[in-house]
Amino acid sequence: MKKLFIIPAVLLLVGSCTQKGTPGTKMSESQRLAEGKTIFENSCGKCHDLPDPKAHNDTEWIGIVNAMAPKAKLSSEQGALVYDYITSVN
Ligand code: HEC
């Protein structure tokens, strides 16, 4: 039991831009990014090679993560963490 789903994952759902220091977030920004990286590496290289974050811009990643998160059986919270990680390194 490592993952605590405590983040209101509205970022991805509303398709808004990533906001630093979202109010109500219990994890720090760096914890969120580390968590997102772990989920990304564990979940997004199963069906194809791990995608290169730099291959798409932030806007494109919204649609991609929305399409891929269900394939990877991620919760919307996990999807938001993956999105935040990807867009922090692209
Ligand atoms: C269950 C299998 C599966 C998983 C898990 C999966 N993908 Fe995919 N992915 C696909 C398939 C199939 C395609 C190509 C067809 C399509 O676009 O739907 C694809 C295509 C892509 C593309 C190319 C899209 C484009 O428009 O060029 C990217 C980027 C991508 N996936 C990212 C991810 C990320 C990020 C994750 C983790 C959240 C993920 N995938 C998890 C099956 C998967």
Side-chain angles (χ1 to χ4, degrees):
M1 185 53 205
K2 272 180 276 177
K3 299 192 171 58
L4 298 168
F5 302 132
I6 52 176
I7 298 169
V10 292
L11 286 181
L12 200 63
L13 297 174
V14 299
S16 67
C17 297
T18 307
Q19 292 172 357
K20 307 285 182 206
T22 307
T25 298
K26 298 233 174 63
M27 279 193 261
S28 72
E29 183 70 11
S30 61
Q31 282 172 314
R32 285 177 53 83
L33 297 180
E35 181 77 6
K37 181 174 195 284
T38 302
I39 298 167
F40 174 69
E41 289 173 349
N42 290 335
S43 306
C44 301
K46 285 182 181 161
C47 303
H48 41 65
D49 289 344
L50 207 55
D52 180 0
K54 295 191 195 329
H56 302 277
N57 67 29
D58 289 9
T59 307
E60 291 166 341
W61 275 117
I62 294 171
I64 294 168
V65 174
N66 277 336
M68 291 296 143
K71 286 187 192 292
K73 299 189 168 35
L74 301 183
S75 68
S76 54
E77 288 89 347
Q78 290 172 311
L81 290 171
V82 168
Y83 176 80
D84 285 355
Y85 164 69
I86 288 172
T87 55
S88 75
V89 295
N90 70 349

